[in-house]
Amino acid sequence: MSNTIRVGFVGWRGMVGSVLLDRMTAENGFDGYEPLFFTTSQVGQRGPYLSGINVPPLKDAFNIDELKELDIIVSCQGGDYTNEVHPKLRAAGFKGFWIDAASALRMNDSCIIMLDPVNREIIDNGIKNGVRDFAGGNCTVSLMLMAFAGLFKHGLVEWISSMTYQAASGAGARNMIELAVQMAHLTNVTAKMRTNPAGVNALDVDKAMTAELQGTTIPRMNFGVPLAASLIPWIDSAVENGQTREEWKGTVEANKILNTKKNIPIDGICVRIGAMRSHSQALTIKMTKDAPLDEINDMIASAHEWIKIIPNDKESTINGLTPAAVSGTLTIPVGRIRKMNIGPEYLTAFTVGDQLLWGAAEPIRRMLKIALEHVS
Ligand code: NAP
């Protein structure tokens, strides 16, 4: 039996999985072990192209006997897959690391939600104590904690109300493609009038687009309604108190990631918007005291190397605090920081982050690196 460390990747072809592969390629993340690729639908087909690595054909992601021989499994496949395979695998004696993008295991006592720039100590202690299940947090929760880790660290947060503006990519590859198709559909119906040499009549363009948005021909298989040129103030399923599951995750996941002694309430409305990639959030933060604004800025800025404070002026904001500016980068800009007229203990701020990076793939890539240090 060889001593080569073997890491299995499931769900590598989805949105989170492909961004993870990109990041791993950029950071030499496949060095030092044998990567194996699994699929739920394409067994035997060709795996991803990785320069300098001979990737064998895709293996069956439901084959427990094969999976249990691995040292580490990274799954970006989704909660249904985790719910089906993870219990069988542990029951079959799998003792390795399970690193997951899905929410299925997150709230289990035996699972740590990983976001190492914020909770590295909790991860290290967990590994020491035998924890082997790690799940990435909900994307908006992880991005909020990345943005405001400094305020939490200094005990300045009493509660937060967060209003989110979440991109199509948060719903997966098929939804992203549907947004692009919807955009093309709306563009097509106005194309002719936009090339009219006599000029464009905005009202005609509006009427044509509204007719499409309210008609039945625009593709909507995944979102259920048009997202392009519109928005959807509902993400995921309902929970009992009128929240959506996405909204419910705010308090429970953030407090678990931070391992808070006293629960910090976090609540708001989560909204899907027609951005392709990168989630934004507008926050009202009730602080535990009336801290001066320059100290608040310093606390936010000094939390970690990826924070970028955006000055609260128009030019800086429109150029630096948008999904368009942030997508594809690890930067976490935080701007529009000011005290609210409600009172000196009320702070408002806006943040944007690439949720496929810090909201999903990056904590997984970094967790895999940490796990590899503990496998021999
Ligand atoms: P996804 O894009 O829908 O991909 C999941 C799987 O769907 C793929 O691995 C692939 O599996 C299959 N698939 C079917 N048709 C596909 C197509 N046309 N293109 C690519 N893959 C296709 O899902 P995801 O957004 O990456 O999310 C995976 C998990 O991460 C979920 O649990 C999600 O909740 C969680 N998560 C997502 C985000 C996000 O921003 N998207 C953020 C945090 C957490 P096979 O190869 O086996 O067929």
Side-chain angles (χ1 to χ4, degrees), residues 11 13-16 39-41 76-78 101-102 169-170 172-173 355-356 359-360:
R13 165 172 103 90
M15 275 323 299
V16 176
T39 178
T40 61
S41 65
C76 304
Q77 185 63 28
S169 58
Q355 102 289 347
L356 286 167

Side-chain angles (χ1 to χ4, degrees), residues 10-18 38-42 58 61-62 75-82 100-104 106 136-140 167-175 177 249 272 279 354-357 359-361 364:
V10 189
W12 54 274
R13 165 172 103 90
M15 275 323 299
V16 176
S18 6
F38 292 75
T39 178
T40 61
S41 65
Q42 301 183 331
L58 295 176
F62 293 105
S75 173
C76 304
Q77 185 63 28
D80 291 346
Y81 174 78
T82 300
D100 203 332
S103 63
R106 277 180 205 153
N138 168 265
C139 40
T140 39
S169 58
R174 279 170 278 215
N175 293 62
I177 292 167
K249 288 172 181 170
R272 183 80 64 203
H279 291 350
D354 187 323
Q355 102 289 347
L356 286 167
L357 287 169
I364 295 175

